[in-house]
């Protein structure tokens, strides 16, 4: 599996395709909420396995910290370390760009995954697209 920073339209479409499968089809997030007004300002990441996209994520700088968003892995690549690899690539990108504090809004079922990567819960539960989330942060 290879994680890379999106560099062209095909790679961006590959990232969007995984996001649509995971968030729109599996989790019933409306497409207009999933693909939002922040796409053009974000750095996108896509993971490939045997030439096919299997994971994605995006990263933005918001108020001086790195915001990790839209982390997703296709069903067939889950529990293989794919999510950790995507997160490592994003964290490396943040560090290379001088950012030392990362923030994300985790779906509550994914909190143990992010906690295992060193993220700490810093908020009460809230709904985003009808799904329970909590905000988490990490110093890198």
């Amino acid at each position: 599996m290879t994680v890379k920073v999106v560099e062209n339209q095909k790679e961006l479409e590959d990232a969007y395709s995984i996001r649509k499968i995971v968030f729109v089809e599996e989790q019933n997030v409306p497409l207009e909420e999933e693909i939002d007004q922040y796409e053009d300002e974000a750095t996108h990441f896509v993971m490939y396995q045997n030439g096919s996209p299997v994971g994605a994520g995006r990263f933005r700088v918001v108020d001086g910290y790195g915001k990790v968003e839209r982390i997703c892995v296709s069903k067939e690549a889950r529990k293989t370390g794919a999510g950790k690899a995507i997160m490592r690539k994003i964290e490396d990108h943040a560090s290379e760009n001088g950012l030392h504090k990362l923030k994300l809004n985790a779906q509550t079922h994914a909190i143990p995954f992010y906690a295992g990567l060193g993220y700490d819960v810093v908020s009460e539960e809230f709904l985003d697209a009808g799904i329970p989330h909590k905000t988490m942060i990490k110093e890198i």
Side-chain angles (χ1 to χ4, degrees):
M1 287 188 273
T2 305
V3 182
K4 64 182 315 267
V5 175
V6 166
E7 297 176 343
N8 58 51
Q9 190 62 34
K10 184 203 179 304
E11 292 170 352
L12 183 61
E13 291 301 321
D14 287 345
Y16 285 163
S17 73
I18 295 300
R19 287 173 50 188
K20 288 175 187 173
I21 289 167
V22 173
F23 295 121
V24 177
E25 294 175 18
E26 290 180 22
Q27 298 183 357
N28 297 311
V29 173
L31 180 61
E32 59 275 8
E33 286 185 45
E34 175 52 32
I35 307 299
D36 65 17
Q37 69 271 25
Y38 302 114
E39 303 300 342
D40 291 341
E41 71 185 58
T43 300
H44 296 268
F45 296 80
V46 63
M47 171 179 265
Y48 292 100
Q49 182 176 31
N50 301 322
S52 296
V54 295
R58 78 176 188 192
F59 176 84
R60 296 186 298 133
V61 178
V62 178
D63 298 329
Y65 60 84
K67 188 145 191 283
V68 180
E69 302 173 316
R70 306 301 202 268
I71 304 301
C72 57
V73 175
S74 64
K75 280 183 183 176
E76 62 271 14
R78 290 180 194 152
K79 308 282 189 210
T80 65
K84 287 181 183 178
I86 293 167
M87 290 298 294
R88 251 191 318 274
K89 184 75 170 181
I90 291 173
E91 289 175 358
D92 289 348
H93 174 81
S95 183
E96 290 164 7
N97 285 280
L99 295 161
H100 303 290
K101 185 175 184 178
L102 300 180
K103 181 178 178 180
L104 57 82
N105 293 327
Q107 293 183 9
T108 54
H109 73 85
I111 288 172
F113 168 75
Y114 293 113
L117 297 174
Y119 289 79
D120 296 310
V121 173
V122 296
S123 79
E124 296 297 317
E125 189 173 294
F126 61 93
L127 293 178
D128 185 3
I131 300 168
H133 286 72
K134 290 186 180 182
T135 300
M136 301 182 80
I137 61 167
K138 178 180 180 178
E139 300 279 341
I140 58 171

